Amino acid sequence: RLEEKQRAVRRRREAEAVEALEEGEDYEGYIPLWFERKVDAVTGELICVYKGGYWEAKDKQDWSSCPDIF
């Protein structure tokens, strides 16, 4: 059930991106909650860097900022 929901969300995002492109609009796309993509200064590769927030949410058991995945 979870994987099917994730696939459906991915397909919806892809369709939104195509629609925005056809209309000449910008499309933000998916932005992870706790990571951001950066270029590694040494290797020049794209990496994901933890930006904080997960452990605080876990301590408080406050998952209100998370998307509905179930």
Side-chain angles (χ1 to χ4, degrees), residues 40-54:
D40 186 283
V42 176
T43 65
E45 294 180 7
L46 191 61
I47 60 172
C48 293
V49 178
Y50 178 65
K51 64 181 180 181
Y54 173 79

Side-chain angles (χ1 to χ4, degrees), residues 4-69:
E4 284 302 318
K5 187 168 187 179
Q6 291 171 337
R7 288 182 189 113
V9 169
R10 187 197 72 231
R11 285 189 296 266
R12 188 193 71 215
R13 286 184 186 136
E14 289 172 351
E16 289 172 355
V18 168
E19 185 178 316
L21 181 63
E22 289 172 350
E23 295 176 3
E25 298 175 1
D26 290 334
Y27 181 74
E28 279 287 318
Y30 175 72
I31 301 173
L33 292 177
W34 298 303
F35 293 90
E36 60 186 338
R37 291 186 173 167
K38 292 186 173 185
V39 175
D40 186 283
V42 176
T43 65
E45 294 180 7
L46 191 61
I47 60 172
C48 293
V49 178
Y50 178 65
K51 64 181 180 181
Y54 173 79
W55 296 110
E56 295 80 3
K58 183 175 168 65
D59 286 342
K60 295 177 186 175
Q61 289 297 298
D62 177 15
W63 306 109
S64 60
S65 64
C66 297
D68 175 25
I69 63 169

